[in-house]
Amino acid sequence: MKNRIATYFVLLFCVFFAGSALAEDRKGPEIGKKAPDFTLVDASGKKHTLSEYEGKYVILEWLNHDCPFVVKHYATGNMQMLQEKYRDMGVKWFSIISSAPGKQGYLEPDEAKKVTRDKKAKPTAVLLDPDGKAGRAYDARVTPHMYIIDPDGMLRYMGAIDDRPTANHADVEGARNFVSEALDLLLAGQSVEVTSHQPYGCTVKY
Amino acid sequence: MHKLQFFKMIAPGTDNRTLHPPTVTSGGETRPGFWLPVALAALMLLTASMLRTGENRVDVVFIPGVPGTAEALKDNDSVFWLGVDMQIKEGWHIYWRNPGDSGLPTSIRWDPHPSLKPGEIQWPRPARFDENGITTYGYSGRVTLLVPVSVTRDELLPDSGTSGSHGEAQPNGLHVDGDGTETNLSADLNWLVCKDICLPESARITLDVTASGHFTGFSENGVRQIKHSLDMVPEQSAEWQGYAVLDDGHFHITLTPASDHAAIPDLQHVYFYPDRQGLIEHTAPQKAVRDGNKLTIAVPVSRYLRTVPEELSGVLSAGESWIHGKDAPAIEMVLPVSTLSERE
C-alpha cells in the first residue's frame, strides 16, 4: 500500500515536470502583452533599460554580423536604411548581440563599435548580451529576429524581417518587409495586420 | 508534391509542335512502345560531368538517369530520374524542403533546355537536428535529391550524321537538339550548410548530353544510388487515413488504418514533419498514444501561427514501417484540419 502511494507521488511528480517542461517550450513574449524588460550595456559602456524608453516605439534586432542572413540585409544597405528612416521618426532601434564569448558573432565592446562604424549601421545602440539573458527572455532564435514594442511597452510584432527567407542579396528588393509594414501602420495609428511571422536566419549562438 | 502528381503535370500532349520537321511529327500521337526506347536511348547518351569545388563543405554531382533505372520510370515512359548527389562534410548538415526553425532548403535553378524538362525536387525523408534549443530538418553525410526529368519527345530528332537526312529515329543515334550540336543540361545549385555556423554555398553543375557515345557515361553505383534514394522518398500512403483537430495549443492528429496492410510502429519515435514553417513548434516533443487501432499524436502549435490552415501536410516518420511487408518508416500524409468548435 505504502509502495503504491509512493508510486502515485512519483507519477504525479513526473506529470508535473512533464507539464512544466512543455510550458517551458512555449515560454517567451506574446503579442499584445508587456514585452520583457531588460537592462543591457551598449558598446560604449552605457546602460539601457527597456522600460526607460516607454513613450517611444522600440525596435529590437537580434544581430550576428557573420551570419549570411544578416549580411544580406547589411551588405545591401537595407538594415541601415530602416534604422536611419525610423530613428528619424523618433523610434529607438537596438541591435542586440546574444552570441556567447568564443561563438560566432560575439564582439568585444571595441570591436562592436568598429564593426558598427564600418558597416555604417545606424542603431540607437548596439547592446551586448553575452550571457544570452535578454535573448532567452524574448525567445530570440535566429539572426535577424525582429520585435516591435509600442510606447506602452506592449509587444506589437515579432518574427521575420521580411517574407524572403533566403541569404540571397537580390531578394531584399521587392520583399514584403513585415517590420516597416507594421511600424508604418502603428505610426499612422492603425492596427497591425501581420503581428508575427516565422523568423528566418542563423541560430542565435548562445 | 508527390511523385504521382508530378506525372500528371508532365502528361504528354502539351508540347509545342510547331518547330518540328515532318519526318518526326508524321508519327502523330502518342506511341508509348516507340518512345520508351527513344527516351532510354537518350539516357544512354547522358554522362555526368563532375564539377567539384574544393572549398565547399558539400560536393555536388549529377547522377544521370540511365536505362538501368527503367523501373523507376514507373508508368511514364518519357521521364527519367536525375540524381543530385550531395556529399556533406562530417559534422555539417543541409536542409529538407522545410528547414525547420532556421536554415534553407537546397534550390536548383535550371538553364532552359530545348528537350529536357526538370520537375520538382523529390526529397528523401529528413533527419532532425537539435541544436542550441532549436530544431531543424535536413541531411548529413550523403543525400541524393531526385529530380524527374521529362524528355520532350517531339524534339528528339534523328542524328543526321548517322541516319541520313530522312532516316527514322534510331535509338543509338539520337541527340536531343535539332541543329546537330550537343546541348548540355546545366543548373545553378544553392544551399545553406550549417554546423555551429551557417555558410551559403553554390555550384554550377552540368549533365553532358552528347550526340555520340553509348553506355559509357553511367555506373552501376549511380544506378544503385538512385534506387536507394527513391526508396527513401516517402510516398502517399493508402494504408493510413487521418485528420487533425486544433485545440488547446495543439494539433491533435488522429490516424486510423485504411487497409489491413497498415502496421502500427513503435510510438516512441513517431514524429510529424510539416511541409512548411510556422505551423508547429519544431522543438517540442510530440506525444503519440495508441487506443486500439487508433493513433493520436499531440503536436504543439507554432507561436507564429496566425490563421488555422485548411490542412496539415507533411511526412509522418517512425523508427519502424507504417506498412506491412514494406520498408516505409516515413509516409506522406495530408490531414484536413478543423478546430474543436467546428467538430462540435
Side-chain angles (χ1 to χ4, degrees):
Chain A
M1 186 65 194
K2 247 185 191 166
N3 252 342
R4 193 173 289 178
I5 289 171
T7 310
Y8 274 128
F9 270 102
V10 168
L11 273 177
L12 251 176
F13 212 67
C14 289
V15 168
F16 177 78
F17 271 98
S20 61
L22 258 183
E24 191 82 0
D25 275 323
R26 302 189 54 76
K27 214 179 63 183
E30 280 182 54
I31 296 299
K33 299 215 169 132
K34 199 89 180 166
D37 200 9
F38 59 78
T39 300
L40 291 173
V41 172
D42 71 16
S44 311
K46 190 184 164 203
K47 271 189 183 176
H48 296 265
T49 299
L50 178 69
S51 50
E52 286 170 7
Y53 291 98
E54 282 195 9
K56 301 269 186 196
Y57 278 102
V58 174
I59 292 185
L60 305 181
E61 169 215 345
W62 257 266
L63 175 67
N64 165 359
H65 274 302
D66 295 323
C67 162
F69 296 88
V70 172
V71 169
K72 166 173 110 169
H73 291 284
Y74 276 94
T76 53
N78 187 45
M79 198 68 89
Q80 298 91 322
M81 183 272 293
L82 292 170
Q83 291 165 346
E84 193 160 16
K85 175 181 167 188
Y86 289 109
R87 280 190 64 200
D88 283 351
M89 297 166 84
V91 175
K92 299 288 172 188
W93 185 302
F94 296 108
S95 307
I96 302 177
I97 300 175
S98 293
S99 297
K103 298 272 184 78
Q104 188 195 49
Y106 172 79
L107 295 173
E108 292 286 335
D110 284 348
E111 296 171 318
K113 265 189 185 166
K114 182 179 183 308
V115 173
T116 306
R117 207 167 45 235
D118 290 350
K119 305 258 177 195
K120 300 189 171 59
K122 301 276 189 303
T124 305
V126 174
L127 305 182
L128 308 176
D129 180 37
D131 61 8
K133 251 191 196 157
R136 289 205 170 83
Y138 277 80
D139 193 28
R141 298 175 186 184
V142 297
T143 52
H145 200 153
M146 310 295 295
Y147 300 82
I148 300 176
I149 297 155
D150 74 10
D152 295 325
M154 302 295 179
L155 189 64
R156 292 297 168 201
Y157 176 80
M158 63 172 176
I161 182 167
D162 64 24
D163 65 346
R164 303 269 178 87
T166 73
N168 186 350
H169 296 194
D171 280 334
V172 167
E173 204 178 309
R176 180 177 176 186
N177 191 298
F178 297 121
V179 175
S180 59
E181 183 183 299
L183 207 46
D184 289 345
L185 286 167
L186 288 166
L187 290 167
Q190 292 172 287
S191 58
V192 177
E193 191 195 338
V194 179
T195 53
S196 67
H197 193 280
Q198 171 83 30
Y200 71 87
C202 306
T203 56
V204 175
K205 312 303 178 197
Y206 290 117
Chain B
M1 179 54 55
H2 311 297
K3 284 178 230 169
L4 287 176
Q5 285 173 354
F6 174 82
F7 287 130
K8 277 178 211 145
M9 263 168 47
I10 52 148
T14 53
D15 314 323
N16 179 349
R17 289 161 185 272
T18 54
L19 296 172
H20 313 303
T23 46
V24 173
T25 52
S26 62
E29 266 312 312
T30 318
R31 283 192 287 149
F34 169 73
W35 289 113
L36 180 62
V38 170
L40 293 182
L43 303 186
M44 295 168 197
L45 307 177
L46 306 175
T47 53
S49 139
M50 300 198 177
L51 193 145
R52 292 182 187 271
T53 50
E55 283 149 44
N56 278 347
R57 270 128 292 262
V58 181
D59 281 339
V60 195
V61 292
F62 278 142
I63 299 180
V66 291
T69 57
E71 59 268 48
L73 301 176
K74 301 267 166 86
D75 46 16
N76 192 306
D77 60 10
S78 58
V79 174
F80 63 93
W81 290 107
L82 180 63
V84 179
D85 193 36
M86 307 183 79
Q87 297 267 9
I88 306 149
K89 252 194 191 168
E90 204 185 328
W92 296 78
H93 61 266
I94 58 174
Y95 295 95
W96 188 52
R97 64 187 183 217
N98 170 9
D101 283 328
S102 81
L104 274 180
T106 299
S107 67
I108 307 177
R109 203 167 51 232
W110 300 93
D111 288 3
H113 190 278
S115 45
L116 297 176
K117 304 279 179 258
E120 288 194 30
I121 300 172
Q122 305 293 304
W123 304 85
R125 59 174 183 263
R128 216 161 9 127
F129 299 92
D130 295 306
E131 41 180 353
N132 271 326
I134 69 155
T135 297
T136 57
Y137 305 146
Y139 312 98
S140 58
R142 179 186 190 184
V143 65
T144 305
L145 306 179
L146 293 161
V147 178
V149 179
S150 63
V151 182
T152 309
R153 305 157 313 160
D154 289 334
E155 294 184 20
L156 282 168
L157 298 177
D159 186 328
S160 56
T162 59
S163 59
S165 55
H166 297 288
E168 284 206 4
Q170 290 177 10
N172 288 343
L174 286 177
H175 58 91
V176 290
D177 192 11
D179 61 5
T181 59
E182 64 185 65
T183 306
N184 294 336
L185 178 63
S186 297
D188 289 308
L189 267 79
N190 284 281
W191 63 89
L192 187 75
V193 59
C194 298
K195 194 167 66 175
D196 45 350
I197 60 167
C198 295
L199 298 163
E201 294 186 344
S202 62
R204 182 168 177 80
I205 53 176
T206 295
L207 185 70
D208 287 340
V209 182
T210 58
S212 59
H214 319 279
F215 296 97
T216 52
F218 70 94
S219 69
E220 286 303 320
N221 279 343
V223 176
R224 215 173 299 127
Q225 182 61 18
I226 285 186
K227 283 182 182 164
H228 171 69
S229 194
L230 268 174
D231 288 341
M232 306 270 283
V233 177
E235 285 186 70
Q236 190 85 42
S237 160
E239 284 75 14
W240 287 92
Q241 58 193 10
Y243 58 87
V245 178
L246 182 60
D247 178 47
D248 193 25
H250 289 74
F251 287 111
H252 297 276
I253 296 175
T254 298
L255 300 168
T256 49
S259 93
D260 294 342
H261 298 295
I264 295 178
D266 177 11
L267 297 187
Q268 210 189 331
H269 301 293
V270 168
Y271 187 88
F272 178 73
Y273 292 88
D275 268 347
R276 58 181 179 89
Q277 295 179 309
L279 289 172
I280 72 164
E281 288 290 317
H282 308 111
T283 313
Q286 301 182 2
K287 196 173 178 326
V289 178
R290 177 178 174 178
D291 176 12
N293 264 342
K294 194 172 82 175
L295 300 184
T296 56
I297 310 166
V299 183
V301 170
S302 166
R303 72 176 70 235
Y304 291 99
L305 186 74
R306 284 178 295 125
T307 49
V308 180
E310 273 178 30
E311 56 187 34
L312 208 52
S313 62
V315 167
L316 203 50
S317 159
E320 299 166 356
S321 182
W322 291 89
I323 302 166
H324 284 300
K326 220 174 162 182
D327 181 28
I331 51 175
E332 287 274 358
M333 291 296 286
V334 179
L335 307 157
V337 175
S338 57
T339 58
L340 199 58
S341 56
E342 283 167 358
R343 293 188 67 82
E344 275 166 354

